[in-house]
Amino acid sequence: MPVYQRYKTILLLGLPIIGGMLSQSVLNLIDAAMVGSLGDTALAGVGAGSYANFVAVSLILGLSSGVQAMVARRRGQGRLAEMARPVNWGLLVSVLFALPLSLIFIHFSTPIIALISSDTAVIEIGSDYFDYRTMAMLAVGMNLSFRGWWNGIKQPGSYLATLIFIHLVNVALSYALIFGHLGLPAMGAAGAGLGTAIALYLGVIVNGILMWRRARQYGFLRYRKGTPSLGSLLRLSVPHSLQQFFFAAGICTLFWIIGQLGTEDQAIAHVLINLALFLILPGVGFGIASTSLVSHSLGEQNTEQACQWGWDTIKTALSIITLLSLPLWLLPETVLGLFIQSEPLLERAIPLLQITALAICLDTAAIVLAQAMLGAGANRPVLYISTFGQWLFYLPLAWLVGPYLGFGLLGIWLVQLLHRTLSSLAFAYVWSRRQWTDITV
């Protein structure tokens, strides 16, 4: 395939995925902006609730990559009648696992948030927000399974359309519930959580209708004896879910470490983390695109093409991430002013935002190749590199440099810069060795 055609394929597949992910990140930023007007305590509370919810949801995040890798591999193998069976198993796992798990998390919400913050007001706001967000775990699992299908058949635009609907509903409901408009009660920060939960369940209905129309002929909701597909899905999904769980738990731990510096530092960090999550989306989106491209090429037994997809995707993602980083480098005060009203906090956050932009650029290879390796079924190396780097290097060093030695947020963010650089080098080394080409999915 010519080089220009390869980049065109990456863009056509990746841009709709990024569009959907950008919409979610934009919504998080909008929530932060709306809640930020309620004060630093509300912003810190929503931050604590968000990161705790991320930990809860992370236990099922592997469903999307597992379903996607299997759908793409079956498509590459020409087994079209079986393409939608992984979605069936994803929905079943969501019901049997996500639903009871959400009830457990809600029951223990207050002590969970208390692990992140010692501020009583922050705990109260965070636990209410967490309860509503966690109510939607079942919806998240089902929507992740649907996303795996659309990305696996290289039609992410269909899922994007559903996401736009979800997010428009989310913005309207969250705004009304936060401030008490349209005859709804003024719930404050908790209203943002409830609005998101309702929107996600409406998204399940829309996604289900689209899948019923599009995927019945490929085995969607059709019973077939035997469970080999379930075993394959769990083998692909569980390591990725564990990696996401440790990553999310790491963010909560980081938020706790920052909490040792004070509530104001947590408020700054919440804004910076959300902006970082926004900035990495091109890398994650193109990486998810490479999941399908790599898995499809391996299904065709074309290992050389599969490997090249990874390198080409890195180049594409880095170009776009660098472009998106420019406002954060050149206009940091303008960007931060959308979320932080306090002038002293704003001044402290400016250099941290610029470091964040540089760190994400250096992390591009790790972001992309982690997703590409999931497409090859190499979930364990992703788990090992991501988890060990975060828990054995970054978090201990962040605590040492930040609260213990007294370098504060600046020290923590400089450690993050080093960690992201080393992660990219580790993933690039593993990818270049090509041991992942022999894995069966």
Side-chain angles (χ1 to χ4, degrees):
M1 182 183 295
V3 174
Y4 77 90
Q5 186 64 42
R6 297 177 64 85
Y7 288 113
K8 180 180 178 181
T9 300
I10 293 171
L11 289 170
L12 290 177
L13 181 56
L15 287 177
I17 297 174
I18 294 169
M21 301 183 74
L22 280 174
S23 62
Q24 178 61 58
S25 185
V26 168
L27 272 181
N28 290 337
L29 292 173
I30 290 173
D31 278 353
M34 288 190 292
V35 173
S37 66
L38 302 177
D40 295 341
T41 301
L43 190 59
V46 169
S50 296
Y51 303 134
N53 178 70
F54 185 22
V55 173
V57 171
S58 67
L59 293 170
I60 57 174
L61 286 180
L63 282 175
S64 180
S65 61
V67 170
Q68 180 179 346
M70 291 183 66
V71 170
R73 189 66 62 93
R74 299 294 174 267
R75 188 168 180 264
Q77 294 168 338
R79 296 161 59 181
L80 303 185
E82 304 174 33
M83 282 200 308
R85 291 192 66 208
V87 182
N88 301 338
W89 292 118
L91 297 177
L92 180 63
V93 171
S94 298
V95 173
L96 296 181
F97 187 67
L99 183 58
L101 194 62
S102 65
L103 298 177
I104 295 173
F105 277 118
I106 290 172
H107 181 73
F108 294 101
S109 62
T110 299
I112 288 173
I113 301 300
L115 293 174
I116 302 174
S117 175
S118 58
D119 188 311
T120 304
V122 171
I123 293 173
E124 182 178 356
I125 294 171
S127 59
D128 289 342
Y129 180 82
F130 174 74
D131 285 345
Y132 287 119
R133 288 295 302 268
T134 308
M135 283 171 50
M137 274 191 69
L138 173 60
V140 171
M142 299 178 78
N143 282 323
L144 287 171
S145 300
F146 293 136
R147 186 178 79 176
W149 161 261
W150 293 114
N151 291 343
I153 63 171
K154 301 181 181 180
Q155 294 183 16
S158 298
Y159 188 73
L160 172 60
T162 305
L163 277 180
I164 292 174
F165 165 77
I166 293 174
H167 297 332
L168 289 175
V169 172
N170 190 1
V171 169
L173 282 177
S174 294
Y175 179 78
L177 288 167
I178 290 172
F179 300 108
H181 296 299
L182 302 178
L184 297 174
M187 299 175 61
L194 179 58
T196 299
I198 295 173
L200 286 169
Y201 277 106
L202 291 175
V204 170
I205 296 174
V206 175
N207 267 317
I209 294 172
L210 292 176
M211 284 290 299
W212 181 267
R213 293 176 176 176
R214 178 68 174 82
R216 282 286 288 171
Q217 60 181 315
Y218 303 115
F220 178 60
L221 296 185
R222 292 185 182 275
Y223 174 76
R224 181 176 174 179
K225 292 183 179 180
T227 58
S229 292
L230 176 60
S232 297
L233 177 62
L234 292 176
R235 190 171 65 252
L236 291 169
S237 301
V238 170
H240 186 208
S241 290
L242 287 175
Q243 180 259 321
Q244 289 293 315
F245 171 76
F246 284 118
F247 173 72
I251 290 183
C252 282
T253 303
L254 176 63
F255 205 64
W256 173 82
I257 291 172
I258 295 170
Q260 308 309 300
L261 304 174
T263 300
E264 289 185 350
D265 292 84
Q266 281 189 320
I268 293 173
H270 177 53
V271 172
L272 293 173
I273 291 171
N274 272 286
L275 287 170
L277 293 175
F278 172 82
L279 191 58
I280 69 172
L281 289 181
V284 177
F286 283 124
I288 291 174
S290 73
T291 299
S292 294
L293 296 170
V294 169
S295 187
H296 188 274
S297 295
L298 291 176
E300 296 177 328
Q301 299 184 345
N302 190 338
T303 58
E304 184 65 34
Q305 179 173 264
C307 184
Q308 191 59 44
W309 281 127
W311 300 124
D312 290 344
T313 305
I314 292 174
K315 298 172 188 175
T316 306
L318 181 58
S319 300
I320 294 181
I321 288 176
T322 302
L323 183 63
L324 290 176
S325 298
L326 292 178
L328 278 64
W329 283 325
L330 303 177
L331 302 170
E333 187 172 357
T334 301
V335 174
L336 289 168
L338 298 173
F339 311 99
I340 299 175
Q341 311 302 321
S342 170
E343 190 65 31
L345 265 63
L346 186 63
E347 292 179 2
R348 291 176 55 200
I350 287 175
L352 301 175
L353 181 62
Q354 293 171 325
I355 293 172
T356 298
L358 177 60
I360 299 302
C361 289
L362 294 174
D363 197 33
T364 302
I367 297 169
V368 170
L369 292 181
Q371 298 294 328
M373 290 172 67
L374 295 176
N379 302 51
R380 290 185 180 180
V382 174
L383 172 64
Y384 297 152
I385 295 173
S386 300
T387 302
F388 291 161
Q390 185 180 34
W391 284 92
L392 299 182
F393 177 79
Y394 176 48
L395 291 175
L397 202 56
W399 175 82
L400 177 65
V401 171
Y404 188 77
L405 295 179
F407 289 97
L409 275 179
L410 179 60
I412 292 173
W413 250 243
L414 289 174
V415 172
Q416 180 186 131
L417 180 68
L418 177 60
H419 169 240
R420 290 182 181 274
T421 303
L422 294 176
S423 294
S424 280
L425 293 174
F427 273 107
Y429 172 73
V430 172
W431 185 258
S432 65
R433 295 186 65 190
R434 301 194 184 189
Q435 293 182 345
W436 45 267
T437 59
D438 299 323
I439 299 175
T440 300
V441 174

